[in-house]
Amino acid sequence: MAKILDRRRLVPNLHLIEVHAPEVAKKSRPGQFVIIMPDERGERIPLSIADWDPEKGSVTSVFLLVGTSTHKLSLLKPGDEVPVYVGPLGKPSEIENFGTVLLAAGCFGIGAIYPLARALKKAGNRVLTIIDVKANYLLYWEDKLKAVSDRVFISARDFALESKDYVPAKIEEVARAETKIDRVVAIGCTYLMYRCSEATKPLGIKTIVSLNPVMVDGTGMCGACRCTAGGQTKFACVDGPDFDGHQLDWDELFKRRKSYFDDEIRSLCYWERTNFP
Ligand code: FES
């Protein structure tokens, strides 16, 4: 059992959850994730680690409300307990002095990219961060990212933020303005990471994406997170979650992401009907 220290809504549809898990906090590295089960009858879902505090023994994630499990998580209160909280899982992101690194993040990825920006900055990189949001009221952690980035750009389809660019256009704009970008890292929904990878391919910039496929065990045993990278079968939980975005079979990824859509909708409708009649 792991105790919830904090759970709050950051912006509509995105919540923060902080869990007391001292062993996980001690070993967490940027790019890793945890598997959480909201209750004993729930499913195991992966959440990217957005921050951790070894002294307090806490680990923080940001999650998007998608299906039944994330809706259950969004109702947890400080003091509640979850039956399963396993981690840190996955390979940590590569951290070294690459030169100039451009980070692109949207949705829950804005939280997930924070420890990566912090570590890359500490390693001596020039860190440029693009935060992608649909509208100004969906923006969060801008100050945290500003504290660990040399520059932060907002990409939005919202005139309140004086921007109407989707993130790939912003990547091209920043890349044109810079003398050299040595690496791009994108974290967020599959479509955002796909579009970022497509944008950087003609520019010849190595692009790393952090996959978030369906997972069950998170330790390479069930095959749920299978993907194809460089023509080879990989498991996102143990071979990733970071992969070269130019090597991935995106069509396969999109198809596999949709496998349980109908079941998710049925499950959520049933759960809402039985819990909020
Ligand atoms: Fe089971 Fe990756 S989640 S193999």
Side-chain angles (χ1 to χ4, degrees):
M1 301 293 273
K3 190 173 277 186
I4 307 302
L5 300 176
D6 192 6
R7 201 281 313 147
R8 69 194 128 96
R9 195 179 81 150
L10 290 172
V11 293
N13 247 16
L14 284 164
H15 289 242
L16 170 150
I17 188 165
E18 185 183 17
V19 179
H20 186 245
E23 291 308 313
V24 184
K26 238 187 269 172
K27 296 181 188 145
S28 291
R29 297 286 175 272
Q32 292 187 293
F33 64 94
V34 293
I35 294 268
I36 188 170
M37 244 173 93
D39 61 29
E40 280 178 7
R41 301 190 61 203
E43 59 179 346
R44 294 164 65 95
I45 54 166
L47 297 182
S48 302
I49 296 175
D51 208 355
W52 59 90
D53 182 340
E55 277 176 30
K56 192 175 168 192
S58 70
V59 180
T60 300
S61 295
V62 175
F63 64 92
L64 175 72
L65 286 182
V66 185
T68 310
S69 298
T70 45
H71 277 79
K72 284 179 180 173
L73 281 185
S74 74
L75 297 179
L76 293 173
K77 299 178 294 302
D80 288 345
E81 291 184 324
V82 287
V84 172
Y85 192 81
V86 189
L89 299 167
K91 289 185 182 165
S93 298
E94 274 184 295
I95 304 291
E96 56 183 83
N97 191 341
F98 299 107
T100 299
V101 183
L102 179 58
L103 306 178
C107 187
F108 67 89
I110 299 170
I113 216 147
Y114 170 70
L116 182 63
R118 182 174 59 190
L120 287 168
K121 183 81 193 127
K122 201 168 164 200
N125 291 281
R126 181 155 179 266
V127 177
L128 310 175
T129 303
I130 302 175
I131 305 174
D132 179 75
V133 287
K134 278 210 176 97
N136 63 342
Y137 61 86
L138 297 173
L139 193 57
Y140 69 95
W141 282 23
E142 188 185 359
D143 288 347
K144 272 171 86 93
L145 282 164
K146 274 185 176 159
V148 294
S149 307
D150 291 86
R151 285 195 71 183
V152 170
F153 306 89
I154 310 292
S155 140
R157 276 74 75 207
D158 181 348
F159 288 100
L161 290 168
E162 293 178 357
S163 163
K164 50 184 174 49
D165 291 334
Y166 186 43
V167 69
K170 199 77 193 170
I171 287 179
E172 283 164 15
E173 183 192 314
V174 176
R176 268 198 307 273
E178 291 289 320
T179 29
K180 190 164 182 272
I181 305 269
D182 297 283
R183 173 175 284 233
V184 169
V185 184
I187 307 183
C189 72
T190 309
Y191 184 68
L192 176 138
M193 296 190 289
Y194 162 70
R195 290 290 306 273
C196 289
S197 302
E198 287 295 296
T200 55
K201 213 190 261 179
L203 303 171
I205 308 171
K206 185 166 175 109
T207 299
I208 304 298
V209 296
S210 176
L211 297 191
N212 51 359
V214 173
M215 288 193 189
V216 181
D217 63 297
T219 57
M221 291 193 289
C222 69
C225 66
R226 182 168 61 76
C227 63
T228 305
Q232 292 186 329
T233 297
K234 301 278 181 189
F235 294 134
C237 64
V238 286
D239 299 314
D242 286 1
F243 289 95
D244 185 329
H246 300 156
Q247 303 267 315
L248 283 167
D249 181 339
W250 288 100
D251 284 344
E252 178 193 56
L253 267 173
F254 282 118
K255 275 187 206 133
R256 289 182 67 85
R257 289 279 313 164
K258 285 191 203 145
S259 320
Y260 298 103
F261 266 14
D262 292 347
D263 295 312
E264 272 294 348
I265 291 165
R266 264 196 296 275
S267 164
L268 188 57
C269 291
Y270 175 76
W271 178 76
E272 283 184 341
R273 250 199 337 265
T274 45
N275 286 279
F276 308 99

